[in-house]
Amino acid sequence: MATLGDIGLAAAINLITALIFLIAFAILRLQPFNDRVYFPKWYLKGLRSSPATSGAFVGKFVNLDYRSYLRFLNWMPDALKMPEPELIDHAGLDSAVYLRIYLLGLKIFIPILFATWAILVPVNWTNDWLEQSKATYSDIDKLSISNIPQSSHRFYAHVVMAYAVTFWTCFALKKEYETVTKMRLHFLQSEKRRPDQFTVLVKNVPPDADESVSEAVEHFFLVNHPDHYLTHQVVLNANKLSELVEEKKSKQNWLVYYQNKYERKQSKRPMMKTGFLGLCGEKVDAIDHHIAEIKRLSDDIAEEKENVKNSPKAIMPAAFVSFKTRWGAAVCAQTQQARNPTLWLTEWAPEPRDVYWQNLAIPYVSLTVRRLLMAVAFFFLTFFFIIPVAFVQSLANIEGLEKNASFLKPIIEIKPIKAFIQGFLPGIALKIFLILLPTILMIMSKFEGFLSISNLERRSASRYYLFNFFNVFLASVVTGTVLEQLHTFLKKSVNDIPSTIGVAIPMKATFFITYIMVDGWSGTAGEILRLKPLIIYHLKNFFLVKTEKDREEAMDAGSIGFNTGEPQIQLYFLIGLIYAVVTPLLTPFILVFFAFAYVVYRHQIINVYNQEYESSAAFWPDVHGRIVGALIISQLLLMGLLGTKGSASATPLLLALPILTLGFHKYCKGRFEPAFIRYPLQEAMMKDTLERAREPNLNLKGYLENAYLPPIFKEAESDSDDDDDDGEISDKKWAKDNVLVATKRQSRKSTPVPSKISNGSSPNLLEIQEKDKP
C-alpha cells in the first residue's frame, strides 16, 4: 500500500512535472516564432498583428530581451487582472461562467477542508482499529474513517460533518445559481442584436399536396402570427454542395501556391502529376490543370445550388422563421402551434454560429430511432471499458505485481520506482485509455441528430460524466477492492466480508489522489504549454503553408472544449464530496487543482481560446444538477459505509440528507432553471421597446432574411464572385487573401515577431482601445 512518503514523492514528481511545463511555457511564449500559438485570440480580434521582420536575423526567432525572462511568471497575475465584466465582453458569457465552476469548487471545498481537518482527522487518527483488524493499510488509511472501530460512537462526528458538508454545498450552489441567472438575464438584456433573438426553428412541417414547404410555412405563420411574422428560410440539404465547395477551396489554394512559385522563377512552368498524392499519373502544367479543375468545380457548384434550391428532395420539412420582435419570437418558441402536438414543433433557433448544419437534413421521424441506437451503444461502450480499468487497477497493486512477476521485485522495491508505479503510472495509464473517448462520444451525439454545437457538446458532456462515474469511479473502487483484498476475503468468513468492503472503499482514496495529481496538476500544466498545437503549427508552417491564408488557418486557437472539460471538473466534485467525510486527506489535492486550473484556464480564455458559439450560459443547469447528484451519491455511499461498520444508530440519521438535497434541487429547478429555458416576455418587450426608441427606422428584414442561409451557400457565392470568366482568380482576391510566401524556408524567416502588444501575456482591452483612439 502507498504510504504518506510515497504520496509525498508522487506529489513532488507531479509538481516538478507541472513546474517544467510552466517554465517551458514561460520561455516558449516569449519567442517571436511562437506568437501565433500562444496569443491567437488577439490575432483573431485584430488587436495583434504579425510584427515587422526587420532587425537582427536571430531576433526574428528568439527573444533577445533578457529582462522579459526575469518576468517569465508574470502571466499568472496578468491572467487575474481582467475584471469579470470585461472578460464577458472579451470572451463571452459562456467562457466567464465556465471559469466560475472552478471558483465554485474553491468556495465549496475551502471551508470543508478546515472543518474536516479540525474535527475528523483527529477523530480518525486516534484509533488503532486497522492494526487490530490486520487488514492491509497505510498511514493514509489511518487518517480515514476506516480506522474507526466497529459500532463506535465516533461515527456521530462523521454524521454531523455530513450534514455540515451538505448544508454548506447547497448554500454555495444556491448563491452561485442565483448569480449566474442574474448574469444571464443581464447579458441577454444588454448584448447587441442577434438573429437568434428573433428566430425560431420550426420542425415537422406537415406535407401539403398543393403547397411547397416554403409556401406552407409562410401561409401558416401569416395566418397564426399575422402581426409579428417577418420572413423565413427553409432548411436545405446542402451536404453535397459543401463537399464541392471544400474541394474547390483546396484547388484554389494550390493554384495560388503554383502561381507564387512561377512568379519567383518565370523561366520554368511548374509541373505536377495528376495521380494519387501527385506521385503517379500524367504529368501536366500545374497552373493550367488547377485553373481547369476550378472551372469544372465552379460549374458543378452552380448546378448543385440549383438542384438544392429546386429539388423537393433537398428541401426538408423544417424552417427558420424570423419575427418582427423578440416578443413575437418568444411567444412562438414557447407555445404549442397546432391541435396536433407532433406538428409545427417550435423551439428557439440556435445562433447562426451554433447551428450544426449537417444534422438539419436528418428527417425528424428518424431521431427517436437514432437516439435509441446510441443509448444501446453507449451502454455497451461503458460496460466493456471495465476491462482496461481493471488492468489499470492491477497495475497500481504493487503486491500483485511482485507475486506475478517475482523477478521484478528487486527493481520494484527501489523507493523512487515504487513511488512512480503507485503515484504516477495508474493515473497516466487511465488518462491514455480515455484519450479517444471524447471523439467517440461526439460522433455518437452527431449521429443522434442534435441541431446545435452547444447541444452536441452538452450531450457529449453528460455521457462523458456518466462514463467517468461508472468506469473511473465505481469500477476503480470495485475492481481495486477485489484485487487488493482478495486474500482477506479468502481467510475471513462470509459474515465478515461486508466489514472488509467497508474498510477497503476508503482505501481507494490513494488511487484518486494520484489520479488528481496526474490529470489535474500535470494535465492542467500541459494544457497551458499547448505542445500539440505548437508542434502542429510549426509542421504546417514548414511543410504545408503556401499562402498567408494558410498561415492564418494553421493558427488553431481551439475552444474551451466543454464536452471534455466540464465532465472532468464534475468528476473532481464527485470525488471531493464523497471523500470529504470519508478521507479528508484528499481535499487539499482537490483544492490545488481548482486553484491552479482557474488561473490556467483564465489565461487561456483571455489569450488563446476562440469560442465557436455563445449560448448565454445555457449549460449551467447541467452543472448544478451534476453537483447535486454527486452530493446525493456521497450521502448514499456514506450510509452504506456506516452500515458495514455496524453503526446501526448513526446510519438512520443520514436518511434525511438525500430527501433534503432532492427538495433543494427541486426548489432550484423551479426558481432558477426557467431563466435558462425560456425568455421572459417582460424582458423581450423591454428590449424591443428600447431598440425601437433608438432605431425607429431599423430594416430588420434585411438583417434577418439571410441570417440562416447555410454558410456553404455564402461561400459558394463568394467563390463565384471571385472567379473571372476564364477561371482566373481576380486581382482583388489575390491582393486580399494570397500574400506571397516566397519559399518554405523563407516563410520561416518571415514568421511573426512580437508586436508591441506581445510584451504582456494578457493585454488589457481598455488599454488597447485607448491606444487605438485617434
Side-chain angles (χ1 to χ4, degrees):
M1 296 294 292
T3 64
L4 283 174
D6 294 334
I7 292 296
L9 186 56
I13 292 173
N14 283 281
L15 286 174
I16 291 171
T17 303
L19 185 61
I20 291 172
F21 285 160
L22 293 179
I23 293 174
F25 160 71
I27 294 172
L28 290 172
R29 62 180 275 274
L30 295 174
Q31 309 314 312
F33 63 98
N34 293 329
D35 204 53
R36 286 179 180 264
V37 178
Y38 291 111
F39 302 98
K41 183 71 169 277
W42 300 99
Y43 280 92
L44 294 171
K45 281 181 166 286
L47 297 174
R48 195 183 188 100
S49 59
S50 301
T53 58
S54 59
F57 174 77
V58 178
K60 298 173 185 177
F61 299 95
V62 181
N63 188 342
L64 300 176
D65 182 8
Y66 72 92
R67 292 171 297 182
S68 62
Y69 294 96
L70 300 178
R71 304 186 300 270
F72 72 96
L73 289 178
N74 277 7
W75 67 269
M76 289 187 176
D78 287 344
L80 300 174
K81 284 181 180 178
M82 184 178 286
E84 189 171 65
E86 189 177 329
L87 181 66
I88 294 173
D89 291 337
H90 174 62
L93 185 65
D94 280 347
S95 298
V97 172
Y98 181 82
L99 288 174
R100 293 191 70 92
I101 304 176
Y102 295 105
L103 284 179
L104 178 61
L106 293 174
K107 292 175 184 176
I108 289 175
F109 287 107
I110 288 177
I112 289 176
L113 173 69
F114 286 108
T116 55
W117 276 63
I119 298 173
L120 295 185
V121 169
V123 169
N124 295 337
W125 181 261
T126 55
N127 287 279
D128 57 359
W129 170 251
L130 288 175
E131 295 178 9
Q132 297 177 9
S133 65
K134 297 181 181 180
T136 304
Y137 72 95
S138 70
D139 291 340
I140 297 174
D141 303 314
K142 290 181 68 176
L143 293 169
S144 74
I145 197 173
S146 298
N147 201 30
I148 305 294
Q150 294 287 103
S151 306
S152 172
H153 292 296
R154 295 194 178 201
F155 286 121
Y156 287 107
H158 298 82
V159 172
V160 171
M161 191 55 61
Y163 272 89
V165 167
T166 298
F167 289 156
W168 171 251
T169 303
C170 290
F171 174 77
L173 282 172
K174 177 185 177 297
K175 295 295 291 184
E176 195 65 23
Y177 213 153
E178 189 175 5
T179 300
V180 173
T181 301
K182 290 179 180 178
M183 291 173 64
R184 173 180 167 86
L185 293 175
H186 181 266
F187 181 78
L188 292 174
Q189 191 65 20
S190 62
E191 69 173 339
K192 296 179 181 178
R193 184 188 312 115
R194 291 194 332 194
D196 53 292
Q197 297 171 345
F198 300 87
T199 307
V200 300
L201 175 60
V202 182
K203 296 182 293 184
N204 226 22
V205 176
D208 192 315
D210 299 322
E211 291 182 321
S212 66
V213 172
S214 180
E215 292 169 339
V217 170
E218 184 176 29
H219 178 257
F220 180 86
F221 284 95
L222 280 174
V223 170
N224 296 286
H225 299 267
D227 298 327
H228 299 283
Y229 168 75
L230 182 62
T231 185
H232 73 276
Q233 172 67 56
V234 294
V235 172
L236 304 172
N237 184 354
N239 291 342
K240 183 179 179 181
L241 178 64
S242 176
E243 294 174 4
L244 291 172
V245 172
E246 288 300 318
E247 185 180 357
K248 182 181 176 182
K249 286 166 64 177
S250 175
K251 299 291 185 184
Q252 287 175 327
N253 212 27
W254 277 108
L255 175 61
V256 171
Y257 167 71
Y258 285 116
Q259 288 179 324
N260 284 345
K261 188 175 181 179
Y262 182 61
E263 286 289 327
R264 292 190 296 269
K265 190 176 180 181
Q266 298 189 7
S267 61
K268 184 180 179 182
R269 297 276 290 186
M271 306 296 289
M272 63 169 287
K273 292 182 179 180
T274 58
F276 178 72
L277 296 177
L279 301 175
C280 58
E282 182 184 358
K283 196 171 185 178
V284 297
D285 183 290
I287 295 177
D288 292 341
H289 174 74
H290 281 91
I291 288 176
E293 285 292 298
I294 291 171
K295 181 67 168 64
R296 176 185 65 80
L297 288 168
S298 296
D299 294 340
D300 291 346
I301 288 171
E303 181 180 352
E304 181 62 21
K305 281 173 60 180
E306 291 302 315
N307 290 338
V308 170
K309 291 179 179 179
N310 299 321
S311 173
K313 294 182 179 180
I315 300 175
M316 307 306 298
F320 291 99
V321 180
S322 298
F323 295 82
K324 299 175 183 177
T325 62
R326 295 173 181 83
W327 187 91
V331 170
C332 180
Q334 297 164 183
T335 54
Q336 182 176 318
Q337 302 302 309
R339 285 184 181 179
N340 187 341
T342 65
L343 300 177
W344 297 102
L345 304 177
T346 57
E347 61 183 59
W348 279 109
E351 64 164 333
R353 293 182 304 166
D354 192 19
V355 177
Y356 189 70
W357 297 95
Q358 291 90 326
N359 278 359
L360 290 175
I362 298 175
Y364 178 76
V365 293
S366 71
L367 294 179
T368 303
V369 177
R370 284 170 171 259
R371 290 173 186 176
L372 178 61
L373 289 174
M374 287 302 98
V376 174
F378 177 69
F379 169 79
F380 283 105
L381 175 66
T382 304
F383 180 78
F384 285 111
F385 200 83
I386 293 176
I387 297 172
V389 171
F391 170 75
V392 170
Q393 290 298 325
S394 65
L395 191 66
N397 186 13
I398 291 290
E399 292 78 10
L401 285 176
E402 291 178 346
K403 289 178 181 178
N404 298 320
S406 56
F407 63 92
L408 294 176
K409 187 173 181 178
I411 300 174
I412 293 174
E413 286 300 323
I414 299 174
K415 193 168 183 178
I417 295 178
K418 183 179 180 181
F420 175 79
I421 292 175
Q422 288 193 316
F424 189 82
L425 200 57
I428 196 68
L430 187 59
K431 185 73 173 174
I432 291 171
F433 278 124
L434 293 172
I435 285 177
L436 294 177
L437 181 63
T439 303
I440 296 172
L441 294 179
M442 182 57 73
I443 292 173
M444 293 172 66
S445 298
K446 290 177 179 178
F447 182 81
E448 287 183 284
F450 290 98
L451 303 180
S452 66
I453 300 172
S454 58
N455 278 334
L456 285 173
E457 292 197 341
R458 288 167 60 188
R459 178 68 161 190
S460 182
S462 176
R463 284 188 165 156
Y464 197 4
Y465 176 72
L466 288 174
F467 189 94
N468 281 338
F469 173 69
F470 285 107
N471 281 294
V472 177
F473 178 74
L474 283 184
S476 295
V477 169
V478 173
T479 56
T481 298
V482 173
L483 291 169
E484 290 175 10
Q485 302 295 334
L486 181 59
H487 66 286
T488 309
F489 288 161
L490 296 176
K491 291 180 180 179
K492 292 197 174 187
S493 66
V494 177
N495 294 331
D496 293 331
I497 289 179
S499 62
T500 305
I501 295 176
V503 171
I505 289 177
M507 290 181 183
K508 289 310 299 176
T510 302
F511 169 76
F512 290 113
I513 288 173
T514 63
Y515 181 78
I516 291 166
M517 288 190 292
V518 172
D519 184 70
W521 299 5
S522 301
T524 302
E527 168 64 28
I528 200 170
L529 181 60
R530 284 176 60 79
L531 190 59
K532 180 181 174 182
L534 178 69
I535 293 172
I536 291 176
Y537 172 77
H538 286 301
L539 286 175
K540 285 183 177 179
N541 199 34
F542 188 84
F543 292 107
L544 301 179
V545 167
K546 303 179 288 295
T547 66
E548 190 62 27
K549 187 176 181 180
D550 280 347
R551 194 191 304 284
E552 294 176 3
E553 292 177 353
M555 181 183 66
D556 180 19
S559 60
I560 291 174
F562 180 83
N563 60 309
T564 57
E566 192 270 342
Q568 284 297 96
I569 305 172
Q570 295 298 328
L571 180 62
Y572 294 126
F573 274 104
L574 175 68
I575 295 171
L577 289 171
I578 286 173
Y579 282 96
V581 177
V582 174
T583 307
L585 181 65
L586 184 139
T587 307
F589 296 89
I590 290 279
L591 279 175
V592 171
F593 161 74
F594 279 120
F596 182 44
Y598 175 72
V599 177
V600 166
Y601 282 95
R602 207 174 202 274
H603 172 275
Q604 299 296 82
I605 284 171
I606 291 173
N607 296 299
V608 179
Y609 297 145
N610 181 46
Q611 193 65 9
E612 295 180 70
Y613 58 84
E614 177 59 62
S615 69
S616 305
F619 58 82
W620 189 259
D622 296 337
V623 174
H624 174 89
R626 283 195 270 272
I627 297 176
V628 170
L631 190 59
I632 294 173
I633 290 169
S634 70
Q635 296 160 359
L636 296 176
L637 288 180
L638 182 60
M639 290 168 59
L641 180 58
L642 292 181
T644 65
K645 300 288 284 184
S647 182
S649 58
T651 305
L653 297 177
L654 293 172
L655 291 174
L657 278 182
I659 298 173
L660 292 173
T661 307
L662 286 172
F664 164 77
H665 179 60
K666 185 176 180 181
Y667 163 77
C668 289
K669 191 175 181 67
R671 172 64 181 83
F672 301 115
E673 190 173 322
F676 295 83
I677 300 174
R678 297 185 287 272
Y679 189 35
L681 296 181
Q682 182 185 25
E683 300 284 331
M685 180 61 76
M686 189 184 308
K687 184 81 171 175
D688 289 332
T689 303
L690 291 173
E691 188 170 76
R692 282 195 296 268
R694 287 195 305 263
E695 302 177 71
N697 298 320
L698 174 65
N699 180 18
L700 195 58
K701 186 172 183 177
Y703 172 70
L704 292 172
E705 61 182 353
N706 290 322
Y708 284 92
L709 185 70
I712 203 64
F713 275 85
K714 299 176 184 178
E715 292 183 29
E717 292 286 350
S718 176
D719 287 340
S720 299
D721 293 341
D722 289 328
D723 291 342
D724 293 332
D725 292 338
D726 59 356
E728 295 286 349
I729 296 180
S730 68
D731 294 337
K732 181 178 178 182
K733 174 77 172 175
W734 179 283
K736 179 181 178 183
D737 290 337
N738 301 305
V739 179
L740 182 67
V741 178
T743 64
K744 296 290 190 298
R745 188 172 299 277
Q746 292 179 8
S747 71
R748 293 177 67 207
K749 294 179 182 179
S750 61
T751 308
V753 297
S755 64
K756 58 185 178 181
I757 302 177
S758 304
N759 296 328
S761 66
S762 55
N764 187 291
L765 276 177
L766 296 179
E767 294 175 357
I768 295 170
Q769 291 168 355
E770 289 295 327
K771 290 179 182 178
D772 291 342
K773 288 182 180 179

